[in-house]
Amino acid sequence: MTDELRSPSLPAAITAEQTYLQIPSHPEWIAPTVEYLKERAVLCGACGPSRAHKLTLALHEALTNSIIHGNLELSSDLKERSDNSFTEVLAARAADPRYGMRPVEMHVEYDGERCRWSFTDQGKGFDVERTLARMDQPKPETIACSGRGILLMRAFLDEVRYELGGRRAVLTLLRSSGEEKRRVPRLSAERPVRIAPIRCDGSVDWEDAYEAMSQDLSPDGMAILQARPATSERILLGIDWQGQILYVAAEVRHCEARGFGMVELGCRFLDSPSSTEQVSATNGDIERVVVGLLEEVKAERVCSNERRTHPRATFTARILVETGMENECLVGFGRDLSRSGISFLTGAALMPGKVVLTLPHRTQKPLRVIAHVVRCHQLVPGVFDVAARFLDVADRPENL
């Protein structure tokens, strides 16, 4: 490609940038805020797309700490308990204006060589020297949850320090250490996919097919999040393309545990379909489908401004969540409720799809409703922020 036809590189032209944000201490603000900060870092050239996932984890850890341990004043000791105390208190504090409306201030500075993010909360702070001293312990397994979060941020960034008695975290990433190393950049793309293992003889094990969720996508491959380990080195990825499921052959390059029974697969698209099953995409189909999905992801980001149909009301009651998997029933704690849906916290990840929720009622028997999980983000290990849209009433109380 000649220089005249090559697209200009906007990140290379940005020499400095500053951003200031202020958000309330509500769990649903964490994921979009972190995504915004990460995207700004990529767009200005402070972080290459290949480093973006690690930066996202570090920023998520810092903002979550500012909200949960800072403004909501939840102790890490509460998280170590085996019951649902941490999740229950977190839902109640977030719904309490005295805590939930405390702001977290974020200041981002980029000077062309390094990017700094500062997160300032309104909490009581913590003993910084004592906490950091634990990082030097010879046995990392003895480090508390808060300490593990600091270790994670240190692993992904060039510097992590604290000011104002622990109320401000300052994260630094050097542009040189965040430069792009991946040949093809990835985009975050959460999509339901169907996985079918390919046997050693090239046939497809349709009886062992299962549902999963894509995490990111590039022209070369896809990352998959699923509730089981990989059972074969090659798989078929069933992708919804223009109303039909098109299967793309892929090779599993890595399989890593992500906690709470979830596993991430890193998959590379194969050039040819399975030799014995004529259901895979051709080379041209693969390129057409992947390019189309990438365009959809970009369009969704442009049109992602939220417009709520119905107002929300505070709802902090204990609820039950039936997932339909081996009669599994989870405990959740509501955060807010509207005519069209509910948001709540629970202790396990929920895949997008139908669930049955049991909601308490002050004067009638509990109401069981069918809902569709539309969002599930991990706030801290063992706590997930879930949003679900109501579909129908599963068990109508009398005189409803």
Side-chain angles (χ1 to χ4, degrees):
M1 182 181 294
T2 64
D3 291 339
E4 290 78 6
L5 297 178
R6 186 176 292 113
S7 299
S9 175
L10 180 61
I14 298 175
T15 58
E17 185 176 71
Q18 289 194 17
T19 303
Y20 179 79
L21 294 87
Q22 182 173 295
I23 67 170
S25 296
H26 295 162
E28 69 269 24
W29 279 82
I30 295 177
T33 302
V34 169
E35 178 68 16
Y36 174 81
L37 294 176
K38 182 262 293 182
E39 285 297 313
R40 292 297 294 256
V42 172
L43 288 173
C44 75
C47 177
S50 67
R51 186 74 175 268
H53 179 64
K54 293 181 178 180
L55 176 62
T56 298
L57 295 177
L59 295 176
H60 189 282
E61 183 69 28
L63 182 55
T64 299
N65 286 342
S66 294
I67 289 179
I68 293 179
H69 299 304
N71 285 347
L72 300 184
E73 297 185 15
L74 268 74
S75 169
S76 296
D77 296 336
L78 194 62
K79 196 187 307 179
E80 302 291 342
R81 295 176 56 172
S82 58
D83 56 16
N84 293 307
S85 300
F86 183 85
T87 307
E88 184 175 10
V89 176
L90 173 57
R93 290 279 177 90
D96 187 339
R98 294 174 298 175
Y99 294 96
M101 293 310 297
R102 283 177 167 179
V104 174
E105 298 176 359
M106 287 157 281
H107 191 196
V108 186
E109 293 180 299
Y110 174 62
D111 62 6
E113 295 184 0
R114 60 177 53 81
C115 191
R116 286 194 178 94
W117 297 265
S118 69
F119 298 82
T120 305
D121 63 63
Q122 311 301 314
K124 298 179 179 179
F126 64 96
D127 190 333
V128 176
E129 292 185 1
R130 180 181 178 184
T131 300
L132 296 182
R134 295 180 188 152
M135 304 298 99
D136 299 325
Q137 292 184 124
K139 295 182 178 181
E141 62 270 15
T142 64
I143 299 176
C145 290
S146 58
R148 298 188 193 107
I150 295 175
L151 287 177
L152 180 147
M153 290 188 289
R154 283 180 167 182
F156 294 160
L157 298 166
D158 293 292
E159 182 186 35
V160 177
R161 72 173 190 270
Y162 290 90
E163 301 172 351
L164 303 179
R167 290 178 44 243
R168 174 179 294 158
V170 182
L171 284 55
T172 302
L173 176 66
L174 299 178
R175 178 170 183 166
S176 58
S177 63
E179 289 179 348
E180 178 64 63
K181 297 179 178 63
R182 183 177 294 272
R183 185 173 67 87
V184 181
R186 297 180 295 180
L187 283 179
S188 176
E190 295 186 355
R191 291 285 195 285
V193 293
R194 185 163 179 78
I195 308 296
I198 299 178
R199 301 186 183 98
C200 294
D201 61 4
S203 62
V204 180
D205 188 358
W206 292 109
E207 293 184 357
D208 196 32
Y210 55 92
E211 303 298 323
M213 177 65 61
S214 68
Q215 295 297 289
D216 55 56
L217 177 70
S218 78
D220 285 350
M222 177 183 287
I224 305 293
L225 188 66
Q226 58 187 46
R228 54 179 286 181
T231 58
S232 62
E233 295 182 356
R234 292 185 300 158
I235 59 176
L236 287 182
L237 299 174
I239 302 173
D240 188 348
W241 174 245
Q242 296 182 347
Q244 63 178 347
I245 302 299
L246 184 63
Y247 284 90
V248 178
E251 176 188 16
V252 177
R253 302 300 299 271
H254 75 258
C255 178
E256 299 178 0
R258 287 291 179 256
F260 310 102
M262 304 304 291
V263 175
E264 182 185 90
L265 302 185
C267 304
R268 180 175 62 85
F269 298 136
L270 296 177
D271 294 333
S272 60
S274 167
S275 59
T276 61
E277 299 285 346
Q278 301 303 316
V279 294
S280 299
T282 65
N283 293 352
D285 286 332
I286 293 175
E287 182 177 358
R288 177 167 55 90
V289 171
V290 172
V291 170
L293 288 178
L294 289 171
E295 291 300 322
E296 288 180 10
V297 171
K298 293 177 182 177
E300 287 175 359
R301 292 184 177 183
V302 173
C303 305
S304 61
N305 290 336
E306 181 181 12
R307 296 291 186 271
R308 290 190 177 273
T309 305
H310 302 111
R312 296 180 296 176
T314 300
F315 179 80
T316 59
R318 183 179 187 269
I319 68 174
L320 297 179
V321 184
E322 300 171 45
T323 65
M325 298 177 59
E326 299 181 354
N327 298 320
E328 182 181 13
C329 189
L330 305 174
V331 175
F333 299 93
R335 294 198 302 104
D336 55 60
L337 179 72
S338 75
R339 290 174 55 190
S340 58
I342 184 174
S343 64
F344 58 92
L345 302 180
T346 189
L350 296 178
M351 299 293 285
K354 290 184 180 180
V355 294
V356 176
L357 306 177
T358 301
L359 311 179
H361 197 285
R362 287 179 295 180
T363 60
Q364 301 174 356
K365 69 177 184 180
L367 175 66
R368 296 179 72 242
V369 296
I370 302 172
H372 184 90
V373 174
V374 297
R375 183 192 75 231
C376 181
H377 295 305
Q378 179 173 288
L379 298 180
V380 295
V383 181
F384 295 83
D385 178 34
V386 181
R389 183 179 70 254
F390 296 143
L391 299 178
D392 197 4
V393 177
D395 186 12
R396 296 179 182 271
E398 297 179 2
N399 303 320
L400 181 63

